[in-house]
Amino acid sequence: MAGRRVAPMLHDDVPTLFEAPLWRGGGGDVVLLGVPYEGMLVADRHTLYPPGSCPPETFYARFGAEEAPDAIRQASVIYSLEHEGGMAAELDFISVSDHLSVVDAGNHTLESAEELSEAVARAGGITVTLGGDHLVPLPLVRGRQRGRAGRLAVLVFDSHLDLHPSPPAWAGSQWRTLIEGGYLQPEDLVIVGPRGVRQSRHEIDYARDNGVTVIPLHLIDERGLSSVCEEIVSCLGPADAVYVSLDIDVIDPAFCPAQKYPDAAGLASREALAMMRAATAARPIAGFDLCCFSPRYDEGQRGALLAARLALEAVYARLRQETGR
């Protein structure tokens, strides 16, 4: 085994994601980045606070998503590419670094993330992004669509629909804003995992009236995971590529307690990985983000570890594409 080098560091005690090399500009098959953004805050059923506010935290209203990228990077050393280039057990032990250029571009604002997403797409790469709240995919998808032609599907894992009509730049309206901006067709949006009662009637009506596919979590129990994977793949049929967005609250808090909007009885970790694999085996991955992780509620970094593993699966998806596995 080769000697271990000093880990590439972004700042202070924060390494790069997966201890990948720092991005120096130019190309990259997979460009990793963080978007430590937390915008409007939901204080209760009827109250939104603007970005930069500091309302009191309650169990209903939990914050801290802007702290996520660095916390996930710290846990990601478990999946370090310094382990002989990242020997992927799930892909017959091939080395990630032998087949892909994986680099960490550091942390970005929403605006600079959109510019980076466009540049990476033009160069034929993908972004793997650590949010931030769930507004983060809005600029990433816009940038990707400007940078690369073709029909894009978006596969969302979330316990909520996020189809509110307003405000347009909010982590509860991002998919509708993309649709109304012409960046996404409603029939190319697939939302997996809604559960519980924290839903709105107008979002449900919008999804039904406009052909958005919604697969509530209980259908996995009723139909089985394999059947749901087949439905996801069928919905992706017309698309040229799929962008995957995962709100960590789709995962059961038993696996990840560090959630802004926790809801019991969610997905198991391997269920989420299985559905990601099915989708990205059917269509090339166009990008990935993980949002709404709040490390201040984590326990022993186990949530951060899971978040890093989910991001690694997006790297695996590009690796499968490159190697035909």
Side-chain angles (χ1 to χ4, degrees), residues 7-301:
M9 305 299 285
L10 284 180
H11 61 86
D12 303 318
D13 63 343
V14 178
T16 59
L17 187 61
F18 311 130
E19 296 189 325
L22 285 162
W23 187 62
R24 305 295 184 185
D29 298 309
V30 180
V31 177
L32 314 167
L33 67 147
V35 183
Y37 173 86
E38 185 161 65
M40 293 185 185
L41 302 173
V42 179
D44 57 48
R45 176 72 175 82
H46 306 286
T47 309
L48 290 177
Y49 284 88
S53 303
C54 295
E57 293 189 44
T58 66
F59 191 70
Y60 186 96
R62 310 204 315 177
F63 315 129
E66 77 279 5
E67 303 163 3
D70 286 354
I72 297 169
R73 283 185 173 104
Q74 288 172 322
S76 77
V77 296
I78 296 297
Y79 305 113
S80 173
L81 298 181
E82 290 293 327
H83 294 304
E84 299 195 31
M87 304 296 289
E90 297 86 347
L91 280 79
D92 199 26
F93 298 98
I94 62 174
S95 169
V96 174
S97 298
D98 282 351
H99 299 276
L100 294 178
S101 169
V102 182
V103 293
D104 191 327
N107 288 337
H108 287 259
T109 64
L110 294 174
E111 294 77 13
S112 65
E114 185 166 342
E115 294 171 359
L116 179 61
S117 177
E118 180 177 355
V120 170
R122 288 188 188 281
I126 67 166
T127 54
V128 172
T129 307
L130 307 175
D133 72 19
H134 217 173
L135 182 62
V136 165
L138 174 65
L140 292 167
V141 171
R142 284 195 307 217
R144 194 274 173 190
Q145 289 294 74
R146 284 201 298 269
R148 189 146 189 186
R151 185 169 177 176
L152 182 70
V154 174
L155 172 61
V156 182
F157 295 99
D158 198 337
S159 62
H160 311 101
L161 298 178
D162 291 354
L163 289 170
H164 290 281
S166 64
W170 173 43
S173 62
Q174 68 277 18
W175 308 125
R176 191 156 171 175
T177 299
L178 283 168
I179 290 168
E180 294 176 355
Y183 294 98
L184 176 66
Q185 299 302 311
E187 61 269 25
D188 293 330
L189 177 60
V190 182
I191 304 172
V192 178
R195 67 188 190 278
V197 300
R198 200 164 171 170
Q199 317 291 341
S200 297
R201 172 61 60 188
H202 62 265
E203 294 179 280
I204 299 164
D205 291 343
Y206 180 86
R208 289 172 176 167
D209 292 344
N210 290 277
V212 175
T213 298
V214 177
I215 304 175
L217 192 68
H218 71 274
L219 292 184
I220 296 175
D221 297 324
E222 293 181 6
R223 300 179 185 172
L225 182 60
S226 296
S227 175
V228 169
C229 286
E230 290 173 2
E231 181 176 356
I232 292 170
V233 169
S234 175
C235 292
L236 302 180
D240 298 304
V242 58
Y243 182 96
V244 180
S245 181
L246 190 145
D247 186 320
I248 200 68
D249 67 23
V250 78
I251 302 292
D252 195 300
F255 298 96
C256 179
Q259 303 178 12
K260 287 189 63 175
Y261 306 114
D263 191 349
L267 285 178
S269 306
R270 288 190 291 179
E271 289 175 330
L273 291 172
M275 286 186 280
M276 280 184 65
R277 287 176 192 149
T280 56
R283 290 293 179 271
I285 188 168
F288 171 83
D289 68 72
L290 183 145
C291 295
C292 293
F293 176 83
S294 183
R296 64 181 68 176
Y297 307 110
D298 210 355
E299 297 174 359
Q301 293 184 285

Side-chain angles (χ1 to χ4, degrees), residues 88 91 94 96 99-100 315-324:
L91 280 79
I94 62 174
V96 174
H99 299 276
L100 294 178
V315 178
Y316 278 0
R318 181 57 185 255
L319 182 57
R320 290 188 182 95
Q321 181 182 332
E322 291 295 317
T323 60

